[in-house]
Amino acid sequence: MVDAHHHVWDLAVGGQPWLLDDPMIAFRYGDYGRIRRDYLPADFRADAATVAGRGLDVAGSVFVETEWRVDDTLSEVAWVSGLAERTGVPSVVVGHAVLDSPGVAEHLAAIAGAPLARGIRHKPGGAATPDRAPAEPTLMTDARWRAGFARLAPLGLHYELQVPWWHLHEAADLAAAYDRTRIVINHTGLPADRSPAGLAGWRDAMRRVAEHPNVYCKISGLDVPHTTWTPDLQREVVLTTLDLFGPRRCMFASNFPVDALWATYAQIFGGFQDLTADLSASEQRAVFFDTACDFYRIGPDRLWSAAG
């Protein structure tokens, strides 16, 4: 399998103010003090090895940007690429770019020039609740931001979208307007509200954006405040996502070490394994491995073994 979304960081490098500064920022998981520590390739490999007992071999991984200092995010791509060359982890890199910034053309060109870089993430903001979304659109509707977004596909880069599900109608419009740019939804559209109304709104939003073949989805980040990660808790979200997008546009991911705040690596991937037991062998291979390899262009030379 390939873990399609994880992070690494070194507090001595000091790239992430949110991991160093006091007071801590408002965070959707609440108190994140336990992850304000180094998390390096060896730590990730140790977590990945815990699923070997379930017959899962983590053979590759995707690093996603960590809100590095916004004035120096190219340093993060260089730092993580160096880790990858020395340790094999991660397989590929997703960097950060401010798409509505004056220097975005040069910035994106620099990212595209990094051999392991595959895409960028720029969180576009969003309303705190669904009822506020109509009056508080995200940057996805901004002309200057879209001009930066339009530069991605010609450079061979894709876009990682992290936004609450109540803004996915904007993502659907973006996907239609730029149908040659691949978009991958991070963390399943953030369906933290599992009430009937919350799930209904999330399902409708996901259905709308899934109509666009250039949109993919990472099934990850499935936190529900004050709950324990179990397959039953995640069943409807996981199976609905697979039904809407299909296994060949879905990929599983840990979001470690962030999701370590509420689940172990084995709980997350063991749960995904249980929930996909009724899929065919080829569908299981797609959602655990093939989709990520194809989307992120992870060749055999970028794969590794959890036992290695």
Side-chain angles (χ1 to χ4, degrees):
M1 54 174 266
V2 166
D3 185 338
H5 191 115
H6 77 92
H7 310 290
V8 290
W9 49 61
D10 183 340
L11 298 190
V13 176
Q16 303 84 4
W18 66 283
L19 289 172
L20 298 169
D21 294 349
D22 287 313
M24 291 190 287
I25 65 170
F27 194 61
R28 66 188 178 98
Y29 285 26
D31 185 349
Y32 59 95
R34 289 191 291 117
I35 61 170
R36 286 173 34 124
R37 59 176 178 81
D38 293 350
Y39 191 79
L40 294 167
D43 302 298
F44 177 75
R45 280 186 182 259
D47 284 324
T50 63
V51 296
R54 295 188 61 107
L56 296 172
D57 180 15
V58 182
S61 70
V62 177
F63 167 85
V64 178
E65 63 90 21
T66 62
E67 299 194 12
W68 191 277
R69 294 184 304 273
V70 71
D71 62 340
D72 189 31
T73 57
L74 291 178
S75 291
E76 181 174 47
V77 173
W79 180 72
V80 177
S81 295
L83 288 179
E85 292 303 321
R86 294 192 299 275
T87 71
V89 177
S91 302
V92 294
V93 175
V94 171
H96 181 272
V98 179
L99 291 177
D100 53 340
S101 66
V104 68
E106 295 79 10
H107 189 95
L108 291 176
I111 290 177
L116 298 185
R118 298 294 186 265
I120 68 100
R121 181 167 72 168
H122 180 203
K123 295 176 183 176
T129 57
D131 59 296
R132 292 168 55 179
E136 300 177 26
T138 75
L139 286 170
M140 287 187 284
T141 66
D142 179 79
R144 184 172 174 178
W145 189 93
R146 283 188 167 213
F149 182 92
R151 297 180 179 276
L152 295 176
L155 291 169
L157 299 172
H158 73 269
Y159 177 62
E160 305 258 341
L161 172 62
Q162 184 166 328
V163 73
W165 59 259
W166 47 86
H167 287 288
L168 287 179
H169 63 285
E170 297 174 22
D173 180 72
L174 186 71
Y178 301 92
D179 59 0
R180 295 189 178 183
T181 304
R182 294 180 307 158
I183 298 169
V184 58
I185 297 170
N186 287 189
H187 307 329
T188 337
L190 303 174
D193 177 4
R194 302 296 174 85
S195 69
L199 283 172
W202 166 82
R203 188 183 306 110
D204 288 346
M206 291 284 278
R207 180 180 294 111
R208 181 171 176 178
V209 76
E211 293 174 354
H212 300 276
N214 55 322
V215 181
Y216 292 64
C217 188
K218 282 196 266 201
I219 302 176
S220 60
L222 297 175
D223 71 299
V224 179
H226 314 299
T227 59
T228 299
W229 207 113
T230 66
D232 283 344
L233 176 68
Q234 311 300 359
R235 186 176 307 280
E236 183 171 357
V237 168
V238 171
L239 297 184
T240 297
T241 303
L242 288 169
D243 181 59
L244 292 174
F245 286 85
R248 285 161 186 81
R249 283 197 289 146
C250 288
M251 50 195 114
F252 286 133
S254 70
N255 193 33
F256 254 52
V258 177
D259 275 27
L261 289 168
W262 79 300
T264 68
Y265 201 92
Q267 280 177 312
I268 291 171
F269 275 102
F272 290 152
Q273 190 180 37
D274 291 343
L275 290 169
T276 56
D278 292 335
L279 297 184
S280 69
S282 64
E283 289 172 329
Q284 290 179 30
R285 180 181 172 91
V287 76
F288 279 98
F289 184 76
D290 286 342
T291 302
C293 285
D294 291 344
F295 188 90
Y296 287 101
R297 307 191 307 278
I298 301 174
D301 61 317
R302 294 307 309 161
L303 295 175
W304 49 280
S305 170

